[in-house]
Amino acid sequence: MKKLLSALVNLALFAAASVAWAWQRLFARERTTMLANAQVNVTGTHAAAKTVKLDGTVTVRHLLYKLGSDDNHVAVCAATADAPLGTIDDEGVAEDEVALLILGKGPTKRFVASEAIAVGDALFTTTSGKVQNFPGAGAATYWQVGIALTAAAADGDVVEASDCVPVKLVVA
């Protein structure tokens, strides 16, 4: 009988705590105002993407981008040593506003391959904003940007990857 009474008391306390929590969440919510980005030069933090402007015309989606002419502009990574910031899933002309998908943040990303890539290959920067598997020869600086989740058969194919914060690799 004592065990049954103890169980009923615990159940009642749990139910009361659940109701109190629900009422608190329902009525004591912080009120926020949602506003659209009215300008590109917005201060603060960005969860997975940042609105930026293109330095030049881009006709290929999913390329890697680096810092452009100023803090609000991006340009396609032209060399293996260019430190990538993210990718853009859009095309546009100079001064178009686009969403830069920040590397290491948010969902998986798509990249344009410069060669055949297998699932599980580490992805590194190469020229023209594309990615390659592990660079085999040649002294240069590369940036690892992720691990391939899908395969690419040839140059120009799009590969999905689990991206990471860019990691610098210097091959001597």
Side-chain angles (χ1 to χ4, degrees), residues 111 117-123 146-152 159-162:
F111 300 102
I117 293 174
V119 173
D121 281 353
L123 300 177
I147 303 289
L149 298 176
T150 60
V159 60
E160 182 181 1
S162 173

Side-chain angles (χ1 to χ4, degrees), residues 24-171:
Q24 180 184 14
R25 298 293 297 160
L26 182 63
F27 292 109
R29 276 194 275 180
E30 183 179 322
R31 304 289 182 208
T32 58
T33 304
M34 302 296 283
L35 300 172
N37 284 343
Q39 60 189 41
V40 173
N41 190 13
V42 178
T43 58
T45 60
H46 305 280
K50 179 182 182 198
T51 302
V52 293
K53 291 183 179 181
L54 294 173
D55 264 353
T57 300
V58 179
T59 59
V60 179
R61 297 171 187 239
H62 315 300
L63 295 176
L64 286 168
Y65 287 82
K66 64 179 179 174
L67 183 63
S69 57
D70 61 39
D71 290 348
N72 296 321
H73 286 79
V74 292
V76 174
C77 290
T80 61
D82 290 343
L85 298 174
T87 66
I88 295 176
D89 291 346
D90 207 353
E91 301 170 356
V93 296
E95 298 302 316
D96 275 357
E97 288 186 349
V98 292
L100 176 70
L101 305 176
I102 301 168
L103 291 172
K105 296 285 189 177
T108 60
K109 309 278 187 304
R110 292 186 186 121
F111 300 102
V112 179
S114 67
E115 61 187 359
I117 293 174
V119 173
D121 281 353
L123 300 177
F124 293 86
T125 55
T126 187
T127 58
S128 304
K130 296 179 180 181
V131 295
Q132 63 180 332
N133 56 19
F134 192 81
T141 299
Y142 303 91
W143 292 87
Q144 182 179 0
V145 295
I147 303 289
L149 298 176
T150 60
D155 181 25
D157 286 354
V158 174
V159 60
E160 182 181 1
S162 173
D163 61 303
C164 63
V165 173
V167 178
K168 191 175 190 177
L169 171 68
V170 178
V171 177

